[in-house]
Amino acid sequence: MIGILWGKIRLLFRKPGSFIVTTIICMVFAFFLGKSTYSEVKVPVYSSLPDAEVEEIVNELNKSESFKYVIETEETVKNKVADGTVEAGIELKAESYTLYQVGKTGNYHLINEQLNSFYSEKIRDNAVREQVGDSSDVMETLKKAKANPLFELSVSSFSDQNKWVHDPSLQSLFGFALFFSIYTVAFSVVEILREKQEGIWDRLILSPISKFGMYAGNLLYSLILGYVQIALIFLVFKYGAGVDFHGGFGKTLILIIPYLFTIIAMSIFIAGLVKTIGQFNALIPLISVSFAMLGGAYWPIEIVTSDILLTISKGIPITYGMEILKGVTVSGLSYSDVLLPISILLLMGVALMGVGIRLMESRHV
Amino acid sequence: MLEVFELTKRFKNKEAVKGINFYMEKGEIVGLLGPNGAGKSTTISMISSLVLPTTGDVRLRNESVLKKPEKIRKVLGVVPQDIALYMDLTARENLEFFGRIHKIKKNDLKKRIEEVLEIIGLKDREKDLVKTFSGGMKRRLNIGVALLHEPELIIMDEPTVGIDPQSRNYILETVKRLNEEKQITVLYTSHYMEEVEYLCDRIYIMDHGEVIASGTKDEIKSILSQEQTLVIQVEILKGEFLKGLEALPNIKNISVNDPILKIIVPKKVNILNEIFVLAGETNTNISSVQIETPTLEDVFLHLTGRQLRD
Ligand SMILES: Nc1ncnc2c1ncn2[C@@H]1O[C@H](COP(=O)(O)OP(=O)(O)O)[C@@H](O)[C@H]1O
Ligand SMILES: [Mg+2]
């Protein structure tokens, strides 16, 4: 096993090109998409409410840093929307809003989602206010409670399903890291197939090394390769770009392992199924891109509303990978809170690995 | 040392090996000769425990190894038909990798790598990537890897395919030296009869999954002792001349390599007259006629009606 690792690492140092290139491309994508699509987008708003009230709403909305809401006149907003210089414009009302837009962009869902949750909270506050009468005492307590970070933290963790916390830079960082690591891992796993075809595998069979050792050496190498890539990307973003992991950095470095295990198992399963390496090479981009789309790597799964797509996403490793990584960072969850998605990943991995190795063993070359 | 009993291998729609028997004594070089597709590689894979036979048995020192493959793997070095090396590693790194896989101790391995590099004559290229090697050098390293763990028995599957004559001679000399100096037993597979004729003490000739002849060189050639080979060169080969030859009663086999014809005929028969008459009738000018002692190639031609190489 150590011997195999030694050989693989030698080969990597001889040809590190594709590893370095995918790592860099991944960083570039995560960096620019994390910055531009979400945080720099300006959304003009207008309202017939009193100025002070509008300002308060806008300040509240801008706290999330997802979009920049700017107050303008009704005419400018409508013109900008019609010209297409902005993606959407909004009329803010006391207890509802109207969203103007020309074409449906990816941001439409995000804006809609944010306004939705903002207004439902506002309506709830109003309801509380009506119930207890306009006692400024209650409002003070509410305000205090909101300002208190301890309380905020506990709210976001238990209400994770209802209240959606969005961090665009982590979303795209995690999404692209999980997406690109599929390539890195899959193309290292398929080397087993190549070595079978070239007869190197036969040489290993004839040596004293066991079958278990052969697979373990190869798959451990794939795990290390994928791990180093993701860890490298995370480190660069944390210390280089100053991305805030909300205190979950260490946890992410551990919790990418179950995800990588599942991807390795999936790769060996596909390698066992295909007839040629060419087929494998054609399948991987197809699978990884559809996984990324369905599993919420390109855009947050939270904005997907179709039941069918959500059901499909339950069978996709990326969904759980994203859930775990976002869980322990943005939502501040603990290890035990993400035990379920971890178990699902491990279960998928064990099943795919078992079938995959069987398929690999039963094929001749 | 090694015996094979009634070995057969059936693939889904094809019987590649049909019940072959053979044996090897310690220190012998045994040749397995046959055209492409004869079933040589399949036989070798079964002996080396890479492929399970459909029926039959493989015995090492009178002990069946089908259920105990580790026994034969320990004493065996296999040189595969295809080059099974890492192209992006150097010659030395390849040897080091497979040495580690064979669990050779660090210090021993260092020494062993030097020895092997010496044997295969690649000492001066040890630091070069295998992908920069010529076909002959790759073949030599392919052999070198199989020698690392000092096997008693080496099985070589067409180790000289597609390389230049110098490399080929080098490999043949190496095999001979290994056998003479280290008493390594060799099973040498080839479809080049000259190689087998040069190297091997005993020979098995395979065709269509069967052993069609076996024995020492002389024994095999004596199959043809009742026959002789005529090599006729004509100026222009005409269809009628060939048809006429085929119609002659005593001719056993004709192989055509325009403008040269090889004909096998019984020794006693004097057929030359008839051939010259036929040439006259068909206006064919014969430029030369030779009578040859048979080669293994001729034996193959005799047994199958085909040439070893097409
Ligand atoms: N894995 C396999 N599946 C099906 N047919 C095979 C397989 N391996 C070899 N054969 C067939 O068996 C025959 C013998 O092949 P092989 O042993 O490679 O011959 P040789 O080494 O003498 O050229 C060939 O016709 C080949 O097509
Ligand atoms: Mg062969």
Side-chain angles (χ1 to χ4, degrees):
Chain A
M1 201 172 90
I2 302 296
I4 290 186
L5 274 180
W6 177 87
K8 295 275 166 186
I9 290 168
R10 262 289 144 95
L11 283 164
L12 174 68
F13 279 115
R14 185 110 324 125
K15 276 195 158 177
S18 67
F19 178 75
I20 293 174
V21 168
T22 39
T23 310
I24 290 175
I25 292 180
C26 178
M27 290 186 193
V28 169
F29 269 77
F31 185 77
F32 284 106
L33 292 176
K35 280 261 174 291
S36 63
T37 347
Y38 301 116
S39 49
E40 297 292 312
V41 174
K42 281 195 179 144
V43 183
V45 301
Y46 70 92
S47 178
S48 51
L49 296 172
D51 280 358
E53 204 171 317
V54 178
E55 235 162 75
E56 203 188 316
I57 296 175
V58 167
N59 282 343
E60 220 24 70
L61 285 172
N62 278 339
K63 270 186 190 159
S64 86
E65 288 177 9
S66 307
F67 299 96
K68 180 111 188 87
Y69 295 89
V70 209
I71 307 168
E72 299 191 23
T73 64
E74 176 171 358
E75 207 188 328
T76 356
V77 172
K78 286 190 169 161
N79 281 344
K80 278 187 175 174
V81 172
D83 294 347
T85 48
V86 295
E87 288 189 49
I90 294 152
E91 182 187 2
L92 298 173
K93 297 172 201 159
E95 296 205 332
S96 70
Y97 61 94
T98 312
L99 210 155
Y100 296 98
Q101 50 139 27
V102 178
K104 260 199 189 178
T105 63
N107 284 329
Y108 163 80
H109 295 288
L110 293 172
I111 297 169
N112 200 21
E113 186 70 32
Q114 196 192 352
L115 288 168
N116 232 330
S117 76
F118 171 78
Y119 271 97
S120 28
E121 212 169 301
K122 194 164 155 39
I123 291 166
R124 204 180 59 209
D125 285 359
N126 287 347
V128 172
R129 200 189 320 232
E130 264 168 38
Q131 284 288 318
V132 298
D134 194 6
S135 128
S136 54
D137 241 18
V138 175
M139 287 325 287
E140 270 311 298
T141 325
L142 260 177
K143 251 187 195 149
K144 249 191 207 153
K146 271 190 191 168
N148 184 343
L150 264 178
F151 181 71
E152 178 85 308
L153 201 67
S154 61
V155 164
S156 60
S157 67
F158 76 72
S159 66
D160 194 39
Q161 291 92 330
N162 316 324
K163 190 181 164 225
W164 174 44
V165 204
H166 180 58
D167 182 330
S169 52
L170 281 182
Q171 160 70 33
S172 65
L173 171 59
F174 293 154
F176 282 106
L178 297 191
F179 170 64
F180 278 98
S181 65
I182 297 181
Y183 286 80
T184 306
V185 166
F187 289 130
S188 76
V189 167
V190 81
E191 285 304 306
I192 297 179
L193 206 55
R194 194 184 311 280
E195 290 181 8
K196 275 197 158 195
Q197 289 179 354
E198 286 173 353
I200 292 176
W201 197 251
D202 279 347
R203 283 207 143 124
L204 300 182
I205 292 176
L206 293 176
S207 78
I209 189 173
S210 66
K211 262 284 161 61
F212 174 80
M214 288 158 68
Y215 279 107
N218 274 284
L219 301 182
L220 190 61
Y221 169 73
S222 299
L223 181 68
I224 292 173
L225 194 67
Y227 186 83
V228 167
Q229 179 167 58
I230 295 185
L232 211 64
I233 294 168
F234 284 7
L235 281 167
V236 166
F237 273 73
K238 180 168 168 60
Y239 295 107
V243 167
D244 182 9
F245 278 71
H246 305 278
F249 185 68
K251 285 184 201 149
T252 60
L253 285 187
I254 291 176
L255 293 174
I256 48 181
I257 295 174
Y259 170 76
L260 285 170
F261 170 72
T262 313
I263 295 304
I264 289 170
M266 183 193 79
S267 307
I268 196 129
F269 176 73
I270 298 167
L273 278 182
V274 294
K275 292 226 157 48
T276 63
I277 293 180
Q279 281 182 2
F280 185 90
N281 294 346
L283 262 176
I284 289 304
L286 250 155
I287 290 175
S288 56
V289 170
S290 35
F291 273 22
M293 291 202 272
L294 294 166
Y298 289 162
W299 49 77
I301 190 91
E302 288 83 355
I303 64 167
V304 176
T305 47
S306 151
D307 281 341
I308 300 172
L309 291 182
L310 285 174
T311 311
I312 294 176
S313 76
K314 296 273 182 283
I316 286 169
I318 285 190
T319 312
Y320 302 103
M322 292 300 285
E323 190 180 331
I324 293 169
L325 291 182
K326 289 203 279 187
V328 297
T329 52
V330 186
S331 316
L333 300 183
S334 67
Y335 285 114
S336 53
D337 293 328
V338 288
L339 215 53
L340 181 67
I342 293 176
S343 320
I344 296 174
L345 279 181
L346 294 179
L347 218 70
M348 272 185 181
V350 169
L352 286 170
M353 181 86 72
V355 180
I357 290 182
R358 253 162 189 276
L359 287 172
M360 285 294 267
E361 283 301 294
S362 63
R363 63 183 297 155
H364 69 276
V365 304
Chain B
M1 182 178 192
L2 184 82
E3 284 170 287
V4 163
F5 293 102
E6 288 300 325
L7 213 54
T8 62
K9 181 69 198 179
R10 200 168 297 116
F11 293 115
K12 265 173 226 112
N13 44 9
K14 177 159 177 98
E15 200 168 14
V17 176
K18 305 170 185 164
I20 69 164
N21 293 286
F22 75 78
Y23 70 93
M24 292 175 70
E25 302 288 2
K26 185 155 180 53
E28 271 191 313
I29 304 185
V30 172
L32 191 56
L33 181 67
N36 282 330
K40 306 183 295 296
S41 296
T42 308
T43 305
I44 285 179
S45 296
M46 288 191 283
I47 295 172
S48 49
S49 80
L50 287 171
V51 168
L52 211 59
T54 310
T55 61
D57 198 5
V58 177
R59 288 188 198 169
L60 181 72
R61 300 191 185 100
N62 278 326
E63 200 184 344
S64 174
V65 290
L66 289 185
K67 293 209 177 68
K68 288 175 243 166
E70 49 310 326
K71 290 227 154 141
I72 192 149
R73 287 175 187 176
K74 215 169 175 176
V75 301
L76 187 68
V78 178
V79 180
Q81 180 169 344
D82 300 314
I83 291 168
L85 300 168
Y86 288 106
M87 294 295 151
D88 289 312
L89 294 181
T90 65
R92 175 175 276 276
E93 285 168 340
N94 266 286
L95 291 170
E96 194 172 346
F97 174 76
F98 288 107
R100 277 167 180 259
I101 297 297
H102 274 279
K103 306 207 161 117
I104 303 172
K105 296 226 171 54
K106 251 215 162 102
N107 288 334
D108 298 345
L109 182 57
K110 238 188 181 143
K111 229 173 65 214
R112 191 62 196 144
I113 289 176
E114 296 302 327
E115 285 169 18
V116 168
L117 283 169
E118 206 62 55
I119 294 170
I120 56 177
L122 287 176
K123 184 81 191 95
D124 54 329
R125 296 292 302 269
E126 59 165 304
K127 293 215 169 72
D128 293 343
L129 296 186
V130 175
K131 66 177 170 200
T132 66
F133 282 9
S134 71
M137 291 161 65
K138 285 179 191 157
R139 289 262 163 218
R140 270 141 67 188
L141 186 58
N142 206 31
I143 295 171
V145 169
L147 297 175
L148 274 171
H149 61 296
E150 302 187 79
E152 294 172 53
L153 168 65
I154 299 181
I155 298 184
M156 307 178 108
D157 196 352
E158 310 213 23
T160 58
V161 167
I163 60 176
D164 56 290
Q166 280 103 315
S167 284
R168 189 170 165 194
N169 287 339
Y170 190 97
I171 288 176
L172 294 179
E173 289 314 318
T174 306
V175 174
K176 208 154 196 148
R177 228 174 43 236
L178 285 170
N179 173 254
E180 281 164 4
E181 290 171 10
K182 313 222 158 144
Q183 283 73 51
I184 296 179
T185 313
V186 181
L187 178 59
Y188 191 94
T189 303
S190 179
H191 67 268
Y192 297 115
M193 59 95 202
E194 329 70 274
E195 292 183 350
V196 172
E197 206 165 347
Y198 170 73
L199 275 179
C200 302
D201 308 307
R202 284 189 308 109
I203 296 162
Y204 292 86
I205 299 182
M206 266 189 97
D207 190 32
H208 294 310
E210 285 170 305
V211 171
I212 53 172
S214 66
T216 63
K217 270 176 277 192
D218 293 336
E219 279 167 2
I220 290 185
K221 283 182 189 171
S222 73
I223 296 172
L224 289 188
S225 62
Q226 304 304 311
E227 276 134 13
Q228 57 188 351
T229 307
L230 295 183
V231 181
I232 302 171
Q233 183 162 1
V234 294
E235 273 173 7
I236 294 161
L237 181 62
K238 289 184 180 155
E240 309 124 65
F241 180 62
L242 197 57
K243 277 214 185 87
L245 281 179
E246 278 162 359
L248 292 178
N250 278 315
I251 291 183
K252 287 212 157 156
N253 259 312
I254 304 178
S255 75
V256 184
N257 189 6
D258 197 2
I260 295 168
L261 299 165
K262 263 189 170 187
I263 300 169
I264 296 177
V265 292
K267 264 199 177 133
K268 295 156 283 191
V269 181
N270 188 350
I271 200 164
L272 284 178
N273 257 339
E274 296 167 45
I275 290 175
F276 279 110
V277 170
L278 185 65
E281 283 170 1
T282 58
N283 274 332
T284 300
N285 285 330
I286 292 177
S287 26
S288 74
V289 175
Q290 265 176 290
I291 299 174
E292 282 189 345
T293 50
T295 62
L296 288 178
E297 187 90 43
D298 301 325
V299 176
F300 191 80
L301 179 62
H302 164 81
L303 291 169
T304 66
R306 288 178 293 118
Q307 268 176 315
L308 209 45
R309 270 169 284 164
D310 359 78

